[in-house]
Amino acid sequence: MMRTLLLGGLAVAACALVTLAPASRAEEPAAKAATQTPAGGKPAKAKKAAPPAQNPAVAGEPGLLPFTPTEVTAAPPGAIDITSDETMEWHNDQLAAVARGHVIVVRGEDTLHCDTLVVYYRKAQDGSTEMYRMAADGQVVMTSPSQQAYGDHGVYDVDQDVTVLTGDHLHLVTRSDTVYARDTLEYWKQQQLLVARGNAVAINDKGDRIRADVLVGIMEQNAAKQLEMTRMDAKGNVLIVTPKDIARGSDGTYNVKTRIAILTGDVKLTQGQNQVNGHRAEVNNATGVSRMLPDETVKGGRVHSVLVPKRSDQPAAPAGGTKTPGGGAQP
């Protein structure tokens, strides 16, 4: 699903001042040698001295070479490109850089859109500065070749390589799945995990739906070298809804490829007014068959069912409804 979207930084340059050294007196013997008379001959003509090199110093600044900044024509691999409609600011005291106005951040195939971006720096041991945190605010959209994530705020922690989205209407969309969350959407790049917290819901294009307090998507690289979800772990108040059944449990695991979910811990399978209780259930969304299984950790564990048959001992209501004491017809 979600790939990691890494965010950028700004570069600063410094110039060096070079002082022109005066001519050395060591040149004087050479000048005298040029005018000396060789043995037995006429004095040699002195060679015309070359004009002194023109001082390229800026007018009014004798002895200083002008600084010409190097133009950056192409970003090196792995670099981050940041553009904005309004301003880019560098706050030296806070060690922060701010970009404002429809900010677009591009790194490789990943793109971030937001209203405002703040890049935080800290001083390294060698005296340089390094980026450690980035914060995006306002209409945050993070895109990669296979997914898009939406939120109001986004924070990227460089040390942990974790991106966290917060705000209203949090959701992530892939080619086959949509994941919603109330509190946070997180992507842990090193672990290749997507974490949705707070009344999290995942729905795929086949209609499978799973809800829990926390959903953790385990992602792997497919044949096209793109990340895709292979398994989803559900924690707390797990609910799986199929066209025929409703399954509840404390924890669950959903296999994306087989479409089979395993629920554990105080499991209930409900179909209409019928209910089966147990400790472990298998819900096969591909076949539409749900099974309650005994608890493997409890010796002699049993499955308990409560079935409500249709009542056939009541006479059928006559056409037009039954007369009520008030004279009206009851449908």
Side-chain angles (χ1 to χ4, degrees):
M1 284 189 167
M2 175 173 137
R3 285 190 60 185
T4 146
L5 301 179
L6 304 180
L7 311 178
L10 303 178
V12 292
C15 65
L17 302 180
V18 181
T19 305
L20 296 179
S24 172
R25 294 192 176 183
E27 298 175 357
E28 295 180 0
K32 291 181 179 180
T35 59
Q36 288 179 352
T37 303
K42 296 181 179 180
K45 292 183 179 180
K47 294 183 179 180
K48 188 176 181 181
Q54 184 177 2
N55 189 343
V58 178
E61 297 182 3
L64 298 181
L65 290 174
F67 168 68
T68 303
T70 302
E71 181 181 1
V72 178
T73 57
I80 301 168
D81 184 77
I82 303 175
T83 58
S84 66
D85 287 347
E86 297 178 10
T87 62
M88 288 190 178
E89 309 161 4
W90 176 259
H91 298 261
N92 292 317
D93 294 340
Q94 293 81 19
L95 286 178
V98 183
R100 304 179 189 275
H102 188 207
V103 183
I104 302 177
V105 182
V106 179
R107 185 178 188 183
E109 296 181 309
D110 299 330
T111 305
L112 165 72
H113 294 257
C114 61
D115 293 337
T116 304
L117 178 73
V118 182
V119 183
Y120 296 92
Y121 293 86
R122 64 189 172 200
K123 292 184 178 180
Q125 293 182 351
D126 60 359
S128 63
T129 58
E130 59 184 9
M131 180 185 71
Y132 72 94
R133 187 171 181 263
M134 303 189 71
D137 188 69
Q139 305 184 73
V140 178
V141 181
M142 303 176 69
T143 65
S144 69
S146 59
Q147 58 213 6
Q148 285 186 322
Y150 301 84
D152 296 326
H153 316 281
V155 175
Y156 172 59
D157 188 305
V158 177
D159 296 332
Q160 298 187 64
D161 208 356
V162 176
T163 302
V164 179
L165 290 179
T166 57
D168 297 330
H169 311 295
L170 287 174
H171 64 287
L172 178 141
V173 180
T174 71
R175 294 187 179 95
S176 59
D177 303 274
T178 303
V179 180
Y180 299 89
R182 183 193 62 209
D183 299 335
T184 62
L185 272 177
E186 308 166 9
Y187 178 60
W188 297 68
K189 184 178 180 182
Q190 298 301 322
Q191 295 84 355
Q192 293 186 358
L193 297 177
L194 170 69
V195 183
R197 301 183 189 273
N199 196 25
V201 180
I203 306 171
N204 66 13
D205 55 359
K206 300 178 179 62
D208 299 347
R209 179 189 297 261
I210 182 170
R211 189 187 73 190
D213 294 339
V214 179
L215 291 175
V216 180
I218 290 84
M219 308 177 75
E220 295 180 1
Q221 202 172 61
N222 58 20
K225 295 186 177 181
Q226 294 181 345
L227 289 177
E228 64 178 7
M229 190 180 304
T230 58
R231 192 183 86 226
M232 181 165 284
D233 293 339
K235 306 289 184 181
N237 298 306
V238 181
L239 175 68
I240 296 178
V241 180
T242 72
K244 295 182 179 180
D245 306 307
I246 296 176
R248 293 179 173 87
S250 300
D251 301 288
T253 298
Y254 174 74
N255 188 307
V256 176
K257 294 183 179 180
T258 64
R259 298 177 61 195
I260 295 176
I262 302 295
L263 296 182
T264 58
D266 192 22
V267 179
K268 296 179 176 63
L269 285 178
T270 305
Q271 186 179 80
Q273 291 184 312
N274 302 325
Q275 183 170 293
V276 182
N277 301 335
H279 296 277
R280 186 169 175 265
E282 177 186 280
V283 181
N284 192 323
N285 290 279
T287 62
V289 176
S290 300
R291 300 189 301 158
M292 184 66 74
L293 307 172
D295 188 354
E296 298 175 341
T297 63
V298 178
K299 184 177 181 180
R302 297 174 64 83
V303 176
H304 178 221
S305 302
V306 177
L307 306 178
V308 180
K310 292 183 179 179
R311 299 183 63 182
S312 58
D313 57 344
Q314 295 292 332
T322 303
K323 293 292 183 178
T324 64
Q330 179 179 343

